[in-house]
């Protein structure tokens, strides 16, 4: 029962943030594409620059 609660290996300090970062980047890219498709491109920086 004592083996169940252990400190994670040191590689988790690298892998876990890396996987989370990749997930955030992929989510941002997919969300940006969906926003452009739904007509919200001006909010995301992909629309026309009518205000300039």
């Amino acid at each position: 029962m004592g083996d169940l609660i252990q400190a994670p290996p040191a590689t988790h300090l690298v892998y876990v943030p890396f996987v989370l970062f990749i997930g955030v980047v992929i989510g941002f890219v997919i969300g940006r594409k969906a926003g452009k498709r739904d007509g919200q491109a001006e909010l995301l920086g992909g629309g026309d620059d009518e205000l300039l």
Side-chain angles (χ1 to χ4, degrees):
M1 192 72 167
D3 294 335
L4 191 60
I5 302 173
Q6 293 181 357
T11 54
H12 276 57
L13 294 175
V14 174
Y15 291 135
V16 172
F18 180 73
V19 169
L20 290 175
F21 177 73
I22 294 298
V24 168
V25 169
I26 290 172
F28 178 78
V29 169
I30 291 173
R32 189 162 193 255
K33 286 181 182 178
K36 282 184 178 181
R37 188 172 50 243
D38 290 343
Q40 300 172 356
E42 64 275 357
L43 179 64
L44 298 170
D48 295 331
D49 292 334
E50 295 176 5
L51 298 176
L52 294 178

